[in-house]
Amino acid sequence: MKNTEDILDLLDRLDNHIADDFESQDLDFKQWNERSSEENIKKMITYAVCMANGGGGSVVFGVADKVKGKDYSIVGVPEGLPADDFQKRIYERTSPHLTPVFEKLVYHEKQLLIMHVYPGMPPYTTSDGSASIRLGKDCVPFTGELRRKMMDSSGQMDFTAEVIFEDWKKHFSPSAMERIREIMQRERVDPRLLAMEDEELLRSIGAFKGEYLTKGSLLLVGKSESIAQFVPQHKWSFRKMISDMDYTHRHDGTEAIPIALHELERYIAVDNPVVTVESGLVHPEFSTYPTIALREALLNAFGHRDYRMNGTMLLKQYRDKLILTNPGVFIGGITPKNILHHPPVARNDHLMDLLDRLKLVNRSNLGVSRIFSSLLMEGKEPPSYREVGANIELTFVASPLKEGFINLIKQVVDEGNYVDVDHLLILQYLIRHEQIDVSTAAEVSQRSPEQARELLSVMSGDFNLLDSIGSGRGRYYTLSRRAYELMEDNMRYERQQLLDREAMKIRILTILKTRNLSNKEIRQLTGLTSKQVQRLIKEMETDGVIVTGKGPATKYVLEK
């Protein structure tokens, strides 16, 4: 699905193209009907259903799609449109309910309205039963034949909620139940839950439908042969890789999720080095791959995989990384670029509910944050998600422990500040790249530019970990001297200061080649004080920069 930046790039090309040239499976342009508000709402409902059935997409209102030239094609929409009301009307008149996201955008001095429709689990219809589906750049009637083909390929019910109408005891695995109790005890769940008998505990979490287990329950407490019979898609595998093609160890299993979790953690532990950090009387130990991150990642993989597809949940351990792959694609609008903060969406709602009630996962979408945080708190690289065909791939890089970074975070927390995953992502980016602007901070933290600007403000003000340089669009941030001191890396700070100063000179010289600059303009460019600008210009005399005029009329000129 196109993001705002992609859409802006296409709008920039409308002087030489018509908007229809850029319409595609996930993008359409529509002109606003100024005579009839109801017609616009009907159009929104139609296209919301169409895009949702077609896998999601965006509709840009306020663009004439058959006219070349921005002056003629960018016609805009009225200001002050009630986006919340549009969302409510669409929600009320679609089945299942759709809640597209509206975004207002000013372009070419005109206001545009973008409707983002995220993919879900079709089919969707209007409240009167009519439906269309996006095929290429057209919305075509969603006929019974098309719906049947879609159901054949994707289905729509929760597979894990299906009931197994057989005596549950003959499929029950005591060893799987014991593993569940071990995990629950480790997670310090309510002792009253642990004190229950097996059947009572399972009934309390909703594992039974009447007197029978569900497929989700079977995945948690079922025997291997029973799972192979009723959920043959459930397969997991481990490979100890020595290259992309060769491995030294292989294990394949169909055991229940708790047993699989235990086995996979055991295999990883064989080559998951532990570092001990001396800190007074306490000597904490840190693994290359934190246990919390691994457990959350594995449980998420089992809980969110598509059990309607054949495939194996595969964990590959390389010398320098872990790669976890599970069948299924992102759903409900989740992408690798918004996975941190997107509202939770469950493909296997029943299974995730069972895991949540057992306190094995968190349904508030905190699991992904825990994966990121447990790595970032130790100064390690964040994980990366991506879709590979019909699979989701998660990669952990074997990053070294950074004791200085741990010390920095401890100091900030001890001062009464709350450090969350957004702050950690920005700090880690700065350690690797040394500079960050608002746009990059928004991308790194998966937040809006406004939220990223506030994060940077807090980190430079309350935390005193960042220095702000420049102003306006040219503003960027670097780690402060205090941050480097807490990480015991003062030499790097001094080196960075020299590099920043040289970057300022290059920027000033580039502009002076086209026009003269005042002291105020250079202050805005660099974030320096008036006296600091004067000293910087003095250093640049060897580059041909001279001073003309006096007082407010002072200008800096590049000699020809």
Side-chain angles (χ1 to χ4, degrees):
M1 193 165 74
K2 302 288 189 299
N3 58 35
T4 305
E5 187 175 328
D6 296 332
I7 292 170
L8 284 171
D9 288 341
L10 296 177
L11 293 175
D12 286 340
R13 298 162 61 186
L14 287 181
D15 279 332
N16 300 311
H17 294 269
I18 61 174
D20 183 75
D21 293 341
F22 304 126
E23 292 182 349
S24 61
Q25 178 69 30
D26 60 357
L27 181 65
D28 209 323
F29 296 90
K30 288 297 164 195
Q31 191 165 345
W32 191 259
N33 187 335
E34 295 186 359
R35 296 187 301 274
S36 174
S37 175
E38 194 59 30
E39 282 301 314
N40 291 316
I41 291 173
K42 287 181 180 179
K43 189 182 295 183
M44 288 178 181
I45 294 168
T46 298
Y47 274 87
V49 169
C50 170
M51 288 296 189
N53 284 330
S58 302
V59 183
V60 184
F61 292 96
V63 179
D65 61 352
K66 303 294 184 182
V67 184
K68 184 183 290 187
K70 294 177 193 172
D71 290 338
Y72 306 103
S73 58
I74 307 297
V75 294
V77 301
E79 293 187 4
L81 289 175
D84 289 344
D85 184 58
F86 294 155
Q87 189 179 60
K88 181 174 181 290
R89 297 283 296 275
I90 293 170
Y91 177 88
E92 292 171 345
R93 293 166 63 179
T94 53
S95 179
H97 299 305
L98 289 168
T99 52
V101 175
F102 285 91
E103 178 182 8
K104 293 179 181 179
L105 177 71
V106 176
Y107 182 82
H108 206 59
E109 300 181 346
K110 298 289 179 66
Q111 182 158 305
L112 304 178
L113 184 67
I114 306 175
M115 180 176 73
H116 298 291
V117 183
Y118 291 106
M121 297 185 71
Y124 294 94
T125 71
T126 62
S127 54
D128 62 8
S130 62
S132 59
I133 185 172
R134 191 76 170 176
L135 292 179
K137 59 167 62 177
D138 297 312
C139 287
V140 302
F142 199 6
T143 62
E145 180 66 12
L146 282 174
R147 295 188 196 192
R148 186 189 65 79
K149 288 180 179 179
M150 175 170 284
M151 288 295 295
D152 286 347
S153 63
S154 68
Q156 72 175 35
M157 67 173 61
D158 182 355
F159 176 86
T160 63
E162 293 180 10
V163 179
I164 300 171
F165 293 100
E166 292 193 13
D167 180 7
W168 69 274
K169 291 181 180 178
K170 74 176 185 180
H171 300 297
F172 176 74
S173 166
S175 58
M177 192 70 210
E178 188 57 34
R179 291 296 178 200
I180 286 178
R181 290 184 179 277
E182 288 177 6
I183 298 172
M184 291 172 67
Q185 197 162 20
R186 214 158 43 209
E187 294 296 321
R188 299 178 182 177
V189 303
D190 189 337
R192 290 173 296 180
L193 206 59
L194 283 169
M196 293 180 180
E197 295 293 331
D198 291 342
E199 183 176 351
E200 182 185 8
L201 173 57
L202 291 174
R203 289 192 181 280
S204 73
I205 65 169
F208 285 93
K209 299 296 183 184
E211 297 301 315
Y212 304 105
L213 289 175
T214 62
K215 289 183 177 178
S217 311
L218 191 72
L219 286 167
L220 293 178
V221 297
K223 295 177 180 177
S224 179
E225 56 270 24
S226 300
I227 293 174
Q229 176 185 353
F230 294 103
V231 194
Q233 302 90 336
H234 173 72
K235 300 169 187 172
W236 54 272
S237 185
F238 173 82
R239 302 283 189 279
K240 181 64 182 295
M241 308 298 295
I242 55 176
S243 70
D244 286 336
M245 302 296 293
D246 298 316
Y247 54 86
T248 58
H249 183 79
R250 168 177 178 167
H251 181 95
D252 301 309
T254 59
E255 289 87 356
I257 292 173
I259 296 176
L261 182 66
H262 173 78
E263 291 298 313
L264 291 168
E265 287 183 333
R266 187 169 63 85
Y267 282 125
I268 295 169
V270 173
D271 193 11
N272 189 16
V274 174
V275 174
T276 301
V277 177
E278 294 189 12
S279 179
L281 298 175
V282 181
H283 294 179
E285 295 182 340
F286 298 88
S287 303
T288 300
Y289 304 109
T291 301
I292 291 176
L294 286 174
R295 186 166 298 143
E296 291 286 349
L298 289 168
L299 284 170
N300 276 348
F302 283 119
H304 290 294
R305 73 149 287 174
D306 193 339
Y307 286 100
R308 300 164 305 190
M309 296 172 55
N310 286 321
T312 301
M313 202 286 291
L314 175 61
L315 179 63
K316 293 182 178 179
Q317 185 174 19
Y318 294 83
R319 181 183 58 82
D320 58 348
K321 62 188 173 185
L322 287 175
I323 298 180
L324 177 62
T325 309
N326 64 299
V329 296
F330 290 115
I331 61 170
I334 295 177
T335 72
K337 292 184 177 181
N338 68 12
I339 192 169
L340 258 176
H341 305 298
H342 194 284
V345 180
R347 176 184 283 111
N348 307 307
D349 198 64
H350 175 62
L351 175 59
M352 292 303 294
D353 190 50
L354 294 175
L355 289 169
D356 180 50
R357 293 187 181 203
L358 289 168
K359 309 301 180 186
L360 304 187
V361 300
N362 186 292
R363 297 209 62 185
S364 301
N365 201 31
L366 298 179
V368 175
S369 290
R370 290 180 73 185
I371 294 171
F372 275 75
S373 294
S374 60
L375 289 161
L376 293 167
M377 289 289 281
E378 299 177 10
K380 297 173 180 176
E381 290 190 32
S384 62
Y385 287 87
R386 66 172 185 149
E387 279 188 1
V388 183
N391 296 276
I392 296 172
E393 181 182 279
L394 170 61
T395 301
F396 293 117
V397 176
S399 310
L401 178 74
K402 292 186 175 68
E403 293 183 37
F405 186 81
I406 294 174
N407 181 61
L408 179 150
I409 298 302
K410 181 179 183 301
Q411 180 63 35
V412 174
V413 171
D414 287 347
E415 291 169 356
N417 298 300
Y418 174 69
V419 179
D420 67 14
V421 68
D422 298 335
H423 303 126
L424 293 169
L425 283 165
I426 290 172
L427 287 171
Q428 283 299 323
Y429 182 90
L430 281 167
I431 288 172
R432 296 195 304 274
H433 301 281
E434 298 182 336
Q435 294 182 7
I436 194 168
D437 56 21
V438 170
S439 176
T440 306
E443 181 179 349
V444 167
S445 63
Q446 300 185 11
R447 294 292 192 182
S448 69
E450 292 75 19
Q451 291 170 320
R453 191 174 289 108
E454 178 62 24
L455 285 168
L456 293 169
S457 175
V458 169
M459 294 174 72
S460 58
D462 297 353
F463 294 4
N464 192 20
L465 296 179
L466 306 185
D467 286 335
S468 171
I469 299 173
S471 61
R473 290 189 175 184
R475 176 173 291 166
Y476 64 95
Y477 296 80
T478 63
L479 290 173
S480 66
R481 177 182 291 276
R482 176 177 184 254
Y484 282 108
E485 287 174 350
L486 290 172
M487 291 190 293
E488 300 177 355
D489 198 359
N490 288 324
M491 288 298 296
R492 187 176 175 190
Y493 176 79
E494 300 297 340
R495 185 171 65 253
Q496 177 60 30
Q497 290 299 101
L498 290 173
L499 290 172
D500 287 346
R501 200 165 183 82
E502 290 305 312
M504 290 177 189
K505 292 178 181 179
I506 292 171
R507 186 181 298 182
I508 291 168
L509 285 171
T510 300
I511 297 174
L512 286 176
K513 288 177 182 179
T514 60
R515 64 182 179 87
N516 301 336
L517 288 170
S518 66
N519 186 291
K520 180 180 178 181
E521 288 173 318
I522 294 179
R523 293 202 308 270
Q524 292 173 338
L525 279 171
T526 62
L528 300 176
T529 66
S530 179
K531 292 291 185 183
Q532 288 172 331
V533 169
Q534 292 173 11
R535 287 195 290 270
L536 183 66
I537 293 299
K538 186 72 175 175
E539 294 175 16
M540 297 177 67
E541 288 180 355
T542 55
D543 296 312
V545 179
I546 61 173
V547 182
T548 64
K550 292 183 178 180
T554 299
K555 291 287 184 181
Y556 303 114
V557 180
L558 185 63
E559 283 188 312
K560 301 295 184 184

